[in-house]
Amino acid sequence: MGAASSSIHDLPENEYLKKLTGREAISENDPFWNQLLSFSFTIPTNSAELKLLEEASVSVCKSLVENNPRTGNLASLIKVFLSRTKELQISAECQNHLFIWQAQNALFLICCLLKVLICQMPEEQLQLHFTYEEKTPGSYASEYEDLLEELLCCLVQLIVEVPLLDITYSISLEAVTTLVVFLSCQLFHKEILRKSIIYQYLMRGRCLGYTSRLVKTLLYNFIRQERSPPPSSHVFQPESEGGGLLYGIASGVATGLWTVFTLGGSKRASQQEESSPLANQSLLLLLILVNLTDAADTPNPYKQSVVSFRNTQDSTALSSPNPHAFQINFNSLYTTLCEQQNSDHATLLLYSLLHQNSNVRTYMLARTDMENLVLPILEILYHVEERNSHHVYMALIILLILTEDDGFNQSIHEIGKGGVAATDLTRELKVVAAHPAPVIPSSGVLEKTEKGRCLKLLWEARVPSQAGLTGVGQVFS
Protein backbone atom coordinates (compact mmCIF):
# COMPACT_ATOMS: atom_id res chain seq x y z
CA MET A 1 0.00 0.00 0.00
CA GLY A 2 1.07 3.61 -0.47
CA ALA A 3 2.25 5.40 -3.58
CA ALA A 4 4.09 2.36 -4.90
CA SER A 5 2.62 -0.79 -6.38
CA SER A 6 1.92 -3.50 -3.79
CA SER A 7 1.68 -7.27 -3.80
CA ILE A 8 0.07 -9.81 -1.49
CA HIS A 9 3.36 -10.97 -0.02
CA ASP A 10 4.28 -7.41 0.98
CA LEU A 11 1.11 -6.70 2.97
CA PRO A 12 2.18 -7.87 6.47
CA GLU A 13 5.38 -5.79 6.24
CA ASN A 14 3.91 -2.77 4.47
CA GLU A 15 4.90 0.37 6.40
CA TYR A 16 1.61 2.15 5.73
CA LEU A 17 -0.52 -0.77 6.93
CA LYS A 18 1.73 -1.15 9.96
CA LYS A 19 1.11 2.48 10.84
CA LEU A 20 -2.65 2.13 10.22
CA THR A 21 -2.93 -0.90 12.52
CA GLY A 22 -0.21 0.14 14.96
CA ARG A 23 -0.30 1.94 18.30
CA GLU A 24 -0.13 5.47 16.92
CA ALA A 25 -3.43 7.30 16.55
CA ILE A 26 -3.95 8.94 13.15
CA SER A 27 -6.31 11.88 12.77
CA GLU A 28 -8.64 11.88 9.77
CA ASN A 29 -6.97 15.15 8.71
CA ASP A 30 -3.46 13.66 8.66
CA PRO A 31 -1.63 13.77 5.26
CA PHE A 32 -0.89 10.08 5.89
CA TRP A 33 -4.22 9.14 4.31
CA ASN A 34 -3.27 10.61 0.93
CA GLN A 35 -0.15 8.45 0.98
CA LEU A 36 -1.95 5.32 2.16
CA LEU A 37 -4.72 5.58 -0.43
CA SER A 38 -2.43 6.20 -3.41
CA PHE A 39 -1.72 2.55 -4.09
CA SER A 40 -2.03 0.10 -6.93
CA PHE A 41 -2.35 -3.62 -6.38
CA THR A 42 -1.37 -6.71 -8.30
CA ILE A 43 -4.66 -8.54 -8.70
CA PRO A 44 -4.83 -12.20 -7.56
CA THR A 45 -5.43 -14.50 -10.50
CA ASN A 46 -6.20 -17.78 -8.72
CA SER A 47 -7.61 -19.21 -5.50
CA ALA A 48 -4.14 -19.73 -4.01
CA GLU A 49 -3.37 -16.00 -4.27
CA LEU A 50 -6.78 -15.12 -2.82
CA LYS A 51 -6.03 -17.39 0.13
CA LEU A 52 -2.70 -15.63 0.61
CA LEU A 53 -4.51 -12.29 0.61
CA GLU A 54 -6.88 -13.46 3.34
CA GLU A 55 -3.99 -14.81 5.41
CA ALA A 56 -2.17 -11.49 5.04
CA SER A 57 -5.34 -9.62 5.98
CA VAL A 58 -5.74 -11.74 9.11
CA SER A 59 -2.32 -10.71 10.45
CA VAL A 60 -3.02 -7.06 9.70
CA CYS A 61 -6.46 -7.25 11.32
CA LYS A 62 -5.07 -8.94 14.42
CA SER A 63 -2.87 -5.92 15.01
CA LEU A 64 -5.82 -3.60 14.35
CA VAL A 65 -8.06 -5.45 16.84
CA GLU A 66 -5.39 -5.10 19.53
CA ASN A 67 -4.64 -1.41 18.97
CA ASN A 68 -7.87 0.09 17.61
CA PRO A 69 -9.52 0.51 21.06
CA ARG A 70 -6.70 2.97 21.90
CA THR A 71 -6.13 4.60 18.52
CA GLY A 72 -9.55 4.61 16.83
CA ASN A 73 -7.80 4.31 13.45
CA LEU A 74 -10.60 2.21 11.94
CA ALA A 75 -13.03 5.03 12.70
CA SER A 76 -10.59 7.53 11.22
CA LEU A 77 -10.31 5.48 8.01
CA ILE A 78 -14.09 5.31 7.75
CA LYS A 79 -14.41 9.07 8.33
CA VAL A 80 -11.87 9.68 5.57
CA PHE A 81 -13.98 7.57 3.21
CA LEU A 82 -17.22 9.29 4.29
CA SER A 83 -15.73 12.74 3.73
CA ARG A 84 -14.62 11.80 0.20
CA THR A 85 -17.96 10.28 -0.82
CA LYS A 86 -19.67 13.63 -0.34
CA GLU A 87 -18.17 14.82 -3.61
CA LEU A 88 -18.33 11.62 -5.64
CA GLN A 89 -21.17 12.82 -7.86
CA ILE A 90 -19.31 16.00 -8.75
CA SER A 91 -16.09 14.03 -9.26
CA ALA A 92 -17.88 11.68 -11.67
CA GLU A 93 -19.32 14.60 -13.64
CA CYS A 94 -15.91 16.31 -13.77
CA GLN A 95 -14.09 13.05 -14.60
CA ASN A 96 -11.92 13.43 -11.48
CA HIS A 97 -10.18 10.05 -11.64
CA LEU A 98 -7.80 10.70 -8.75
CA PHE A 99 -10.52 11.57 -6.24
CA ILE A 100 -12.62 8.52 -7.16
CA TRP A 101 -9.53 6.30 -7.13
CA GLN A 102 -8.63 7.25 -3.56
CA ALA A 103 -12.23 6.90 -2.36
CA GLN A 104 -12.32 3.47 -3.97
CA ASN A 105 -9.06 2.47 -2.29
CA ALA A 106 -10.41 3.58 1.09
CA LEU A 107 -13.51 1.44 0.60
CA PHE A 108 -11.32 -1.46 -0.52
CA LEU A 109 -9.36 -1.30 2.75
CA ILE A 110 -12.52 -1.02 4.83
CA CYS A 111 -14.05 -4.06 3.13
CA CYS A 112 -10.90 -6.18 3.52
CA LEU A 113 -10.76 -5.34 7.23
CA LEU A 114 -14.48 -5.93 7.72
CA LYS A 115 -14.34 -9.31 6.04
CA VAL A 116 -11.85 -10.59 8.60
CA LEU A 117 -13.42 -8.82 11.59
CA ILE A 118 -16.87 -10.25 10.87
CA CYS A 119 -15.36 -13.74 10.72
CA GLN A 120 -13.68 -13.33 14.09
CA MET A 121 -16.12 -11.52 16.35
CA PRO A 122 -19.85 -11.08 17.09
CA GLU A 123 -21.76 -8.03 15.88
CA GLU A 124 -21.73 -6.36 19.29
CA GLN A 125 -17.93 -6.41 19.41
CA LEU A 126 -17.72 -5.28 15.78
CA GLN A 127 -19.94 -2.32 16.59
CA LEU A 128 -17.59 -1.30 19.40
CA HIS A 129 -14.71 -0.99 16.93
CA PHE A 130 -16.73 1.69 15.12
CA THR A 131 -17.01 3.73 18.33
CA TYR A 132 -13.37 3.74 19.41
CA GLU A 133 -11.53 7.01 18.91
CA GLU A 134 -8.45 8.68 20.31
CA LYS A 135 -9.11 10.44 23.59
CA THR A 136 -7.05 13.61 23.87
CA PRO A 137 -7.52 16.70 26.04
CA GLY A 138 -9.51 19.38 24.28
CA SER A 139 -10.73 17.07 21.49
CA TYR A 140 -14.24 17.49 20.15
CA ALA A 141 -16.87 14.79 19.97
CA SER A 142 -17.28 13.03 16.66
CA GLU A 143 -19.70 14.62 14.21
CA TYR A 144 -21.01 11.15 13.38
CA GLU A 145 -23.52 9.97 15.97
CA ASP A 146 -23.33 6.35 14.83
CA LEU A 147 -20.46 5.54 12.50
CA LEU A 148 -21.75 2.08 11.60
CA GLU A 149 -25.12 3.39 10.50
CA GLU A 150 -23.41 6.31 8.76
CA LEU A 151 -21.27 3.92 6.72
CA LEU A 152 -24.19 1.67 5.79
CA CYS A 153 -26.29 4.64 4.72
CA CYS A 154 -23.37 6.07 2.76
CA LEU A 155 -22.95 2.80 0.85
CA VAL A 156 -26.64 2.76 -0.03
CA GLN A 157 -26.50 6.39 -1.16
CA LEU A 158 -23.42 5.65 -3.26
CA ILE A 159 -25.22 2.82 -5.05
CA VAL A 160 -28.39 4.77 -5.82
CA GLU A 161 -27.03 8.28 -6.43
CA VAL A 162 -23.62 8.01 -8.11
CA PRO A 163 -24.07 7.63 -11.90
CA LEU A 164 -22.74 4.39 -13.36
CA LEU A 165 -19.84 5.39 -15.63
CA ASP A 166 -16.60 3.68 -16.58
CA ILE A 167 -14.73 5.55 -13.85
CA THR A 168 -17.38 4.81 -11.19
CA TYR A 169 -18.04 1.17 -12.12
CA SER A 170 -15.47 -0.26 -9.69
CA ILE A 171 -16.47 1.85 -6.69
CA SER A 172 -20.15 1.02 -7.32
CA LEU A 173 -19.23 -2.65 -7.42
CA GLU A 174 -17.24 -2.33 -4.22
CA ALA A 175 -20.13 -0.58 -2.46
CA VAL A 176 -22.43 -3.46 -3.38
CA THR A 177 -19.96 -6.12 -2.28
CA THR A 178 -19.20 -4.28 0.97
CA LEU A 179 -22.91 -4.52 1.83
CA VAL A 180 -22.72 -8.23 1.01
CA VAL A 181 -19.80 -8.53 3.43
CA PHE A 182 -21.77 -6.69 6.12
CA LEU A 183 -24.69 -9.09 5.67
CA SER A 184 -22.42 -12.15 5.82
CA CYS A 185 -22.79 -12.23 9.60
CA GLN A 186 -25.52 -14.85 9.07
CA LEU A 187 -22.84 -17.28 7.86
CA PHE A 188 -21.35 -17.46 11.34
CA HIS A 189 -24.57 -18.24 13.19
CA LYS A 190 -26.32 -21.61 13.25
CA GLU A 191 -29.66 -20.01 14.10
CA ILE A 192 -31.53 -17.51 11.92
CA LEU A 193 -30.58 -13.97 12.92
CA ARG A 194 -33.67 -12.07 14.04
CA LYS A 195 -32.10 -9.21 16.00
CA SER A 196 -29.07 -8.36 13.92
CA ILE A 197 -27.75 -4.84 14.48
CA ILE A 198 -26.96 -4.47 10.79
CA TYR A 199 -30.41 -5.74 9.79
CA GLN A 200 -32.03 -3.15 12.07
CA TYR A 201 -30.04 -0.33 10.52
CA LEU A 202 -31.04 -1.42 7.01
CA MET A 203 -34.73 -1.99 7.79
CA ARG A 204 -35.46 0.70 10.37
CA GLY A 205 -32.74 3.33 10.30
CA ARG A 206 -31.90 6.07 7.84
CA CYS A 207 -31.50 3.47 5.09
CA LEU A 208 -35.25 2.75 5.18
CA GLY A 209 -36.00 5.84 3.11
CA TYR A 210 -33.84 4.47 0.27
CA THR A 211 -35.55 1.06 0.12
CA SER A 212 -37.39 1.40 -3.18
CA ARG A 213 -34.51 3.26 -4.86
CA LEU A 214 -32.00 0.63 -3.75
CA VAL A 215 -34.16 -2.27 -4.96
CA LYS A 216 -34.81 -0.48 -8.25
CA THR A 217 -31.11 0.29 -8.78
CA LEU A 218 -30.06 -3.30 -8.03
CA LEU A 219 -32.70 -4.60 -10.45
CA TYR A 220 -31.55 -2.20 -13.16
CA ASN A 221 -27.94 -3.24 -12.57
CA PHE A 222 -29.07 -6.80 -13.21
CA ILE A 223 -31.14 -5.81 -16.25
CA ARG A 224 -28.38 -3.75 -17.86
CA GLN A 225 -25.68 -6.44 -17.48
CA GLU A 226 -22.98 -3.78 -17.81
CA ARG A 227 -19.60 -5.29 -18.54
CA SER A 228 -16.54 -4.34 -16.55
CA PRO A 229 -14.90 -1.35 -18.28
CA PRO A 230 -11.84 -1.94 -20.46
CA PRO A 231 -8.38 -1.74 -18.85
CA SER A 232 -7.81 1.81 -20.05
CA SER A 233 -10.66 3.11 -17.89
CA HIS A 234 -9.43 1.49 -14.68
CA VAL A 235 -7.51 3.89 -12.51
CA PHE A 236 -5.39 1.40 -10.60
CA GLN A 237 -6.30 -2.01 -12.02
CA PRO A 238 -4.69 -2.20 -15.47
CA GLU A 239 -4.32 -5.96 -15.60
CA SER A 240 -7.87 -7.26 -15.33
CA GLU A 241 -11.32 -6.83 -16.75
CA GLY A 242 -12.93 -9.01 -14.12
CA GLY A 243 -14.16 -6.26 -11.85
CA GLY A 244 -11.25 -5.73 -9.48
CA LEU A 245 -9.65 -7.28 -6.45
CA LEU A 246 -12.54 -6.61 -4.11
CA TYR A 247 -14.89 -8.58 -6.35
CA GLY A 248 -12.50 -11.50 -6.11
CA ILE A 249 -12.26 -11.55 -2.33
CA ALA A 250 -15.94 -10.75 -1.77
CA SER A 251 -17.16 -13.43 -4.19
CA GLY A 252 -16.29 -16.02 -1.56
CA VAL A 253 -18.62 -14.30 0.90
CA ALA A 254 -21.36 -14.00 -1.72
CA THR A 255 -20.97 -17.69 -2.58
CA GLY A 256 -21.32 -18.58 1.06
CA LEU A 257 -24.47 -16.51 1.44
CA TRP A 258 -25.87 -18.03 -1.73
CA THR A 259 -25.22 -21.48 -0.23
CA VAL A 260 -27.30 -20.47 2.78
CA PHE A 261 -30.27 -19.38 0.66
CA THR A 262 -30.20 -22.38 -1.71
CA LEU A 263 -29.63 -24.91 1.09
CA GLY A 264 -26.58 -26.34 -0.60
CA GLY A 265 -23.79 -25.90 -3.11
CA SER A 266 -24.12 -23.82 -6.21
CA LYS A 267 -22.44 -24.13 -9.59
CA ARG A 268 -21.87 -20.54 -10.58
CA ALA A 269 -22.08 -19.11 -14.06
CA SER A 270 -18.45 -18.01 -14.05
CA GLN A 271 -18.53 -16.51 -17.52
CA GLN A 272 -21.38 -14.19 -16.56
CA GLU A 273 -19.65 -13.20 -13.31
CA GLU A 274 -16.44 -12.30 -15.09
CA SER A 275 -18.12 -10.26 -17.80
CA SER A 276 -20.79 -8.54 -15.65
CA PRO A 277 -19.61 -8.60 -12.02
CA LEU A 278 -21.77 -5.64 -10.99
CA ALA A 279 -24.91 -7.30 -12.34
CA ASN A 280 -24.03 -10.54 -10.58
CA GLN A 281 -23.25 -8.95 -7.22
CA SER A 282 -26.29 -6.65 -7.42
CA LEU A 283 -28.59 -9.63 -7.90
CA LEU A 284 -26.98 -11.48 -4.99
CA LEU A 285 -27.37 -8.45 -2.72
CA LEU A 286 -31.00 -8.05 -3.79
CA LEU A 287 -31.79 -11.70 -2.99
CA ILE A 288 -30.09 -11.40 0.40
CA LEU A 289 -32.05 -8.25 1.28
CA VAL A 290 -35.35 -9.76 0.17
CA ASN A 291 -34.74 -12.83 2.33
CA LEU A 292 -33.86 -10.96 5.51
CA THR A 293 -36.00 -12.06 8.43
CA ASP A 294 -38.97 -9.87 9.31
CA ALA A 295 -38.71 -8.04 12.60
CA ALA A 296 -41.33 -8.77 15.28
CA ASP A 297 -43.24 -5.58 14.51
CA THR A 298 -41.79 -4.60 11.13
CA PRO A 299 -42.10 -6.55 7.85
CA ASN A 300 -39.07 -6.68 5.59
CA PRO A 301 -39.34 -3.46 3.50
CA TYR A 302 -37.13 -4.87 0.71
CA LYS A 303 -39.44 -7.84 0.31
CA GLN A 304 -42.43 -5.49 0.30
CA SER A 305 -40.79 -3.49 -2.45
CA VAL A 306 -40.05 -6.53 -4.61
CA VAL A 307 -43.56 -7.97 -4.32
CA SER A 308 -45.30 -4.68 -5.15
CA PHE A 309 -43.38 -2.93 -7.96
CA ARG A 310 -45.26 -2.32 -11.19
CA ASN A 311 -44.66 -1.82 -14.88
CA THR A 312 -43.72 1.64 -16.09
CA GLN A 313 -46.70 1.46 -18.44
CA ASP A 314 -49.12 0.80 -15.57
CA SER A 315 -51.07 4.02 -14.97
CA THR A 316 -52.39 2.78 -11.62
CA ALA A 317 -48.90 2.49 -10.10
CA LEU A 318 -49.09 5.81 -8.27
CA SER A 319 -52.14 4.68 -6.29
CA SER A 320 -50.30 1.82 -4.59
CA PRO A 321 -50.69 1.88 -0.76
CA ASN A 322 -47.20 0.40 -0.33
CA PRO A 323 -44.71 3.20 0.45
CA HIS A 324 -41.88 1.13 -1.05
CA ALA A 325 -43.54 0.49 -4.42
CA PHE A 326 -41.94 1.74 -7.63
CA GLN A 327 -42.12 1.30 -11.39
CA ILE A 328 -39.72 -0.54 -13.65
CA ASN A 329 -39.66 -1.56 -17.30
CA PHE A 330 -41.17 -5.07 -17.34
CA ASN A 331 -40.13 -5.73 -20.93
CA SER A 332 -36.44 -5.21 -20.11
CA LEU A 333 -36.76 -7.30 -16.95
CA TYR A 334 -38.45 -10.11 -18.84
CA THR A 335 -35.80 -10.11 -21.57
CA THR A 336 -32.94 -10.30 -19.05
CA LEU A 337 -34.62 -13.06 -17.04
CA CYS A 338 -35.00 -15.09 -20.22
CA GLU A 339 -31.31 -14.66 -21.04
CA GLN A 340 -29.88 -15.36 -17.57
CA GLN A 341 -31.57 -18.62 -16.56
CA ASN A 342 -28.23 -20.41 -16.73
CA SER A 343 -27.55 -19.01 -13.23
CA ASP A 344 -29.44 -20.35 -10.24
CA HIS A 345 -29.79 -16.95 -8.56
CA ALA A 346 -31.54 -15.55 -11.66
CA THR A 347 -33.89 -18.54 -11.50
CA LEU A 348 -34.59 -17.79 -7.83
CA LEU A 349 -35.42 -14.18 -8.74
CA LEU A 350 -37.81 -15.43 -11.42
CA TYR A 351 -39.47 -17.77 -8.94
CA SER A 352 -39.78 -15.03 -6.33
CA LEU A 353 -41.41 -12.64 -8.81
CA LEU A 354 -43.82 -15.23 -10.21
CA HIS A 355 -44.80 -16.45 -6.76
CA GLN A 356 -45.08 -13.13 -4.91
CA ASN A 357 -45.52 -10.27 -7.39
CA SER A 358 -48.91 -10.56 -9.06
CA ASN A 359 -48.09 -7.70 -11.44
CA VAL A 360 -45.07 -9.55 -12.86
CA ARG A 361 -46.94 -12.86 -13.02
CA THR A 362 -49.86 -11.31 -14.90
CA TYR A 363 -47.52 -9.56 -17.33
CA MET A 364 -45.51 -12.69 -18.09
CA LEU A 365 -48.54 -14.90 -18.60
CA ALA A 366 -49.91 -12.32 -21.05
CA ARG A 367 -46.77 -12.39 -23.21
CA THR A 368 -47.09 -13.90 -26.66
CA ASP A 369 -43.47 -15.06 -26.65
CA MET A 370 -43.49 -17.27 -23.55
CA GLU A 371 -41.26 -19.76 -25.32
CA ASN A 372 -38.37 -17.36 -24.71
CA LEU A 373 -38.81 -17.98 -20.98
CA VAL A 374 -40.05 -21.57 -20.96
CA LEU A 375 -37.35 -23.04 -23.18
CA PRO A 376 -34.44 -21.86 -20.95
CA ILE A 377 -36.28 -23.33 -17.95
CA LEU A 378 -36.69 -26.63 -19.76
CA GLU A 379 -33.04 -26.52 -20.72
CA ILE A 380 -32.24 -26.67 -17.01
CA LEU A 381 -34.18 -29.95 -16.81
CA TYR A 382 -32.74 -31.23 -20.06
CA HIS A 383 -29.18 -30.80 -18.75
CA VAL A 384 -30.03 -31.79 -15.19
CA GLU A 385 -26.72 -33.56 -14.67
CA GLU A 386 -24.95 -30.19 -15.06
CA ARG A 387 -27.15 -28.39 -12.50
CA ASN A 388 -27.38 -28.59 -8.74
CA SER A 389 -30.54 -30.08 -7.28
CA HIS A 390 -31.85 -26.75 -6.00
CA HIS A 391 -31.64 -25.16 -9.44
CA VAL A 392 -33.61 -28.07 -10.89
CA TYR A 393 -36.16 -27.85 -8.09
CA MET A 394 -36.75 -24.13 -8.68
CA ALA A 395 -37.19 -24.77 -12.41
CA LEU A 396 -39.85 -27.39 -11.67
CA ILE A 397 -41.71 -25.08 -9.31
CA ILE A 398 -41.69 -22.29 -11.91
CA LEU A 399 -43.25 -24.64 -14.46
CA LEU A 400 -45.84 -25.74 -11.90
CA ILE A 401 -46.80 -22.11 -11.27
CA LEU A 402 -47.09 -21.42 -15.00
CA THR A 403 -49.17 -24.52 -15.73
CA GLU A 404 -51.79 -23.45 -13.17
CA ASP A 405 -52.88 -20.83 -15.69
CA ASP A 406 -55.33 -22.12 -18.30
CA GLY A 407 -54.28 -19.47 -20.78
CA PHE A 408 -50.66 -20.61 -20.54
CA ASN A 409 -51.64 -24.25 -21.05
CA GLN A 410 -53.56 -23.26 -24.17
CA SER A 411 -50.89 -20.95 -25.56
CA ILE A 412 -48.06 -23.48 -25.39
CA HIS A 413 -49.77 -25.48 -28.15
CA GLU A 414 -49.19 -22.52 -30.43
CA ILE A 415 -45.44 -22.25 -29.82
CA GLY A 416 -43.48 -22.29 -33.07
CA LYS A 417 -40.67 -24.76 -33.62
CA GLY A 418 -37.32 -23.07 -34.07
CA GLY A 419 -34.73 -25.78 -34.62
CA VAL A 420 -34.12 -29.34 -33.48
CA ALA A 421 -33.33 -28.56 -29.85
CA ALA A 422 -36.24 -26.17 -29.50
CA THR A 423 -38.55 -28.70 -31.18
CA ASP A 424 -37.66 -31.43 -28.68
CA LEU A 425 -38.10 -29.15 -25.70
CA THR A 426 -41.37 -27.72 -27.00
CA ARG A 427 -42.71 -31.22 -27.60
CA GLU A 428 -41.98 -32.21 -24.02
CA LEU A 429 -43.73 -29.13 -22.61
CA LYS A 430 -46.76 -29.88 -24.80
CA VAL A 431 -46.73 -33.47 -23.52
CA VAL A 432 -46.84 -32.26 -19.93
CA ALA A 433 -49.59 -29.71 -20.49
CA ALA A 434 -51.81 -31.74 -22.80
CA HIS A 435 -52.46 -34.81 -20.56
CA PRO A 436 -54.49 -34.23 -17.39
CA ALA A 437 -53.98 -37.78 -16.13
CA PRO A 438 -50.73 -38.73 -14.39
CA VAL A 439 -49.73 -41.12 -17.13
CA ILE A 440 -46.42 -40.66 -18.91
CA PRO A 441 -46.93 -41.13 -22.64
CA SER A 442 -44.28 -42.87 -24.66
CA SER A 443 -41.60 -40.44 -25.79
CA GLY A 444 -38.13 -41.17 -27.09
CA VAL A 445 -36.66 -38.04 -25.55
CA LEU A 446 -38.37 -38.72 -22.22
CA GLU A 447 -36.85 -42.17 -21.98
CA LYS A 448 -33.28 -41.21 -22.88
CA THR A 449 -32.05 -38.77 -20.26
CA GLU A 450 -32.34 -37.53 -16.71
CA LYS A 451 -34.71 -34.94 -18.09
CA GLY A 452 -37.30 -37.68 -18.32
CA ARG A 453 -37.19 -38.23 -14.58
CA CYS A 454 -37.57 -34.51 -13.89
CA LEU A 455 -40.47 -34.15 -16.33
CA LYS A 456 -42.09 -37.20 -14.72
CA LEU A 457 -42.04 -35.35 -11.42
CA LEU A 458 -43.52 -32.31 -13.11
CA TRP A 459 -46.10 -34.52 -14.77
CA GLU A 460 -47.28 -36.26 -11.61
CA ALA A 461 -47.53 -32.96 -9.72
CA ARG A 462 -48.96 -30.95 -12.61
CA VAL A 463 -52.00 -29.66 -10.67
CA PRO A 464 -50.66 -28.82 -7.19
CA SER A 465 -53.00 -27.76 -4.42
CA GLN A 466 -52.93 -24.21 -3.14
CA ALA A 467 -51.57 -25.55 0.14
CA GLY A 468 -48.75 -27.14 -1.77
CA LEU A 469 -47.76 -23.86 -3.38
CA THR A 470 -47.98 -22.14 0.00
CA GLY A 471 -45.56 -24.72 1.37
CA VAL A 472 -43.18 -24.07 -1.47
CA GLY A 473 -43.35 -20.35 -0.73
CA GLN A 474 -42.45 -20.99 2.91
CA VAL A 475 -39.36 -22.87 1.84
CA PHE A 476 -37.95 -19.85 -0.02
CA SER A 477 -39.27 -17.09 2.26
Side-chain angles (χ1 to χ4, degrees):
M1 305 294 173
S5 179
S6 305
S7 66
I8 294 174
H9 300 284
D10 299 333
L11 292 183
E13 302 301 323
N14 184 277
E15 59 176 306
Y16 295 98
L17 289 181
K18 279 186 174 182
K19 184 173 181 179
L20 172 65
T21 61
R23 298 180 180 181
E24 178 186 353
I26 308 171
S27 167
E28 59 265 33
N29 299 317
D30 196 297
F32 162 81
W33 298 108
N34 288 328
Q35 298 171 326
L36 173 69
L37 301 179
S38 299
F39 67 84
S40 58
F41 205 95
T42 302
I43 301 171
T45 56
N46 53 55
S47 59
E49 291 181 354
L50 289 175
K51 185 176 180 180
L52 287 175
L53 175 63
E54 290 195 7
E55 291 174 352
S57 299
V58 169
S59 64
V60 171
C61 283
K62 183 178 179 181
S63 177
L64 180 69
V65 170
E66 293 176 356
N67 298 313
N68 189 58
R70 293 186 295 272
T71 65
N73 285 344
L74 177 61
S76 295
L77 172 61
I78 293 172
K79 291 174 185 177
V80 169
F81 169 71
L82 293 176
S83 66
R84 292 173 186 250
T85 56
K86 294 177 181 178
E87 301 179 18
L88 273 181
Q89 275 187 292
I90 298 177
S91 299
E93 294 172 0
C94 299
Q95 297 288 307
N96 189 336
H97 290 250
L98 180 62
F99 192 91
I100 296 173
W101 169 40
Q102 291 193 339
Q104 178 182 338
N105 285 349
L107 182 54
F108 164 77
L109 288 175
I110 292 170
C111 189
C112 287
L113 295 172
L114 283 175
K115 185 174 185 289
V116 179
L117 292 175
I118 288 175
C119 294
Q120 295 184 344
M121 61 184 63
E123 273 190 313
E124 294 77 11
Q125 188 177 351
L126 175 66
Q127 187 180 32
L128 284 177
H129 278 277
F130 282 78
T131 63
Y132 296 135
E133 57 183 8
E134 183 190 13
K135 305 298 182 182
T136 57
S139 61
Y140 294 96
S142 171
E143 64 178 295
Y144 302 104
E145 295 182 1
D146 190 323
L147 203 56
L148 177 55
E149 182 179 20
E150 188 78 21
L151 177 58
L152 288 169
C153 190
C154 176
L155 292 174
V156 172
Q157 290 174 332
L158 194 159
I159 293 170
V160 302
E161 294 180 353
V162 175
L164 186 58
L165 308 171
D166 281 356
I167 62 173
T168 61
Y169 186 98
S170 293
I171 194 170
S172 298
L173 172 61
E174 293 180 8
V176 171
T177 50
T178 303
L179 284 178
V180 171
V181 170
F182 264 119
L183 294 168
S184 67
C185 52
Q186 175 66 76
L187 292 177
F188 308 99
H189 293 78
K190 295 182 179 179
E191 304 296 330
I192 297 176
L193 285 178
R194 301 187 184 278
K195 296 182 179 180
S196 166
I197 298 171
I198 295 171
Y199 291 4
Q200 292 178 8
Y201 282 139
L202 288 173
M203 294 198 289
R204 292 183 175 181
R206 293 168 51 196
C207 298
L208 181 62
Y210 293 93
T211 297
S212 59
R213 293 177 64 188
L214 178 59
V215 171
K216 185 175 182 178
T217 301
L218 294 175
L219 271 175
Y220 266 124
N221 285 346
F222 169 66
I223 290 172
R224 293 168 67 178
Q225 292 291 311
E226 290 282 353
R227 293 182 174 272
S228 184
S232 58
S233 63
H234 286 286
V235 177
F236 71 104
Q237 300 173 15
E239 301 179 13
S240 172
E241 296 183 27
L245 175 59
L246 184 61
Y247 175 73
I249 64 173
S251 63
V253 173
T255 301
L257 286 168
W258 180 241
T259 298
V260 171
F261 288 119
T262 58
L263 311 178
S266 168
K267 297 179 181 178
R268 308 286 294 276
S270 58
Q271 185 176 0
Q272 176 204 355
E273 291 181 26
E274 292 176 0
S275 62
S276 306
L278 179 60
N280 181 71
Q281 294 294 87
S282 294
L283 179 54
L284 286 172
L285 176 58
L286 177 62
L287 291 172
I288 294 168
L289 290 172
V290 169
N291 284 279
L292 293 180
T293 307
D294 291 340
D297 56 346
T298 307
N300 183 342
Y302 301 97
K303 184 175 182 179
Q304 285 187 314
S305 185
V306 166
V307 303
S308 62
F309 70 80
R310 297 173 179 266
N311 194 357
T312 51
Q313 299 179 352
D314 188 348
S315 59
T316 64
L318 298 178
S319 63
S320 173
N322 190 332
H324 305 300
F326 62 92
Q327 293 178 283
I328 200 169
N329 189 313
F330 276 15
N331 182 62
S332 299
L333 176 61
Y334 176 82
T335 301
T336 304
L337 285 170
C338 292
E339 295 172 349
Q340 299 300 324
Q341 288 307 305
N342 60 318
S343 67
D344 46 4
H345 37 289
T347 304
L348 178 55
L349 176 63
L350 174 60
Y351 161 77
S352 301
L353 295 178
L354 284 173
H355 178 59
Q356 298 175 319
N357 190 315
S358 59
N359 303 314
V360 173
R361 183 171 60 252
T362 301
Y363 173 84
M364 289 188 176
L365 289 172
R367 296 280 303 201
T368 58
D369 59 348
M370 278 296 289
E371 69 273 13
N372 292 337
L373 179 65
V374 172
L375 293 179
I377 296 298
L378 286 175
E379 291 248 16
I380 298 171
L381 306 182
Y382 192 86
H383 300 288
V384 65
E385 67 281 352
E386 301 174 7
R387 310 289 181 178
N388 66 60
S389 58
H390 310 293
H391 198 181
V392 173
Y393 178 70
M394 287 187 290
L396 288 169
I397 297 302
I398 288 171
L399 290 178
L400 288 173
I401 293 175
L402 293 175
T403 54
E404 283 193 315
D405 183 78
D406 292 336
F408 171 82
N409 293 334
Q410 181 178 358
S411 66
I412 57 175
H413 291 277
E414 303 171 0
I415 295 177
K417 299 180 180 181
V420 176
T423 300
D424 290 340
L425 292 172
T426 303
R427 183 185 302 116
E428 298 313 323
L429 182 58
K430 289 182 177 181
V431 165
V432 172
H435 294 76
V439 178
I440 301 297
S442 176
S443 170
V445 177
L446 270 175
E447 295 170 357
K448 286 180 182 178
T449 66
E450 286 284 328
K451 192 191 83 169
R453 180 169 59 83
C454 293
L455 285 176
K456 185 173 184 295
L457 294 175
L458 172 61
W459 180 266
E460 294 175 344
R462 180 180 167 273
V463 188
S465 64
Q466 187 61 38
L469 280 180
T470 302
V472 171
Q474 291 173 348
V475 170
F476 287 93
S477 61

